[in-house]
Amino acid sequence: GRLALTLPMGDARLPGIAAEDIGRAAYEIFKRGDEYVGTTVGVAGEHLTGEEMAAALTNAFGSGLSTSA
């Protein structure tokens, strides 16, 4: 079979982040203490389209991944 990724988002970009980057970001936020209390912090390492996500997953899985919107 073939893997398929359905993302009804057109050319919009979706933020993504590696697990180890989340840990680093959280550590830095907690380390600064009161500076971030009551604030919202956006954490993203990259913003990819559905096609770019499929290409990255194809590299990770070693096989083709098709996309549809």
Side-chain angles (χ1 to χ4, degrees):
R2 184 166 171 87
L3 298 174
L5 181 63
T6 302
L7 296 170
M9 55 190 238
D11 290 334
R13 294 184 173 272
L14 188 66
I17 187 167
E20 56 270 7
D21 293 338
I22 293 171
R24 283 189 207 113
Y27 172 74
E28 289 299 322
I29 291 166
F30 289 131
K31 189 168 86 172
R32 294 181 187 202
D34 291 340
E35 182 179 343
Y36 286 103
V37 171
T39 64
T40 300
V41 179
V43 179
E46 56 193 1
H47 292 78
L48 302 176
T49 65
E51 297 243 347
E52 291 168 332
M53 284 183 205
L57 289 170
T58 295
N59 284 341
F61 295 143
S63 64
L65 182 73
S66 62
T67 60
S68 61

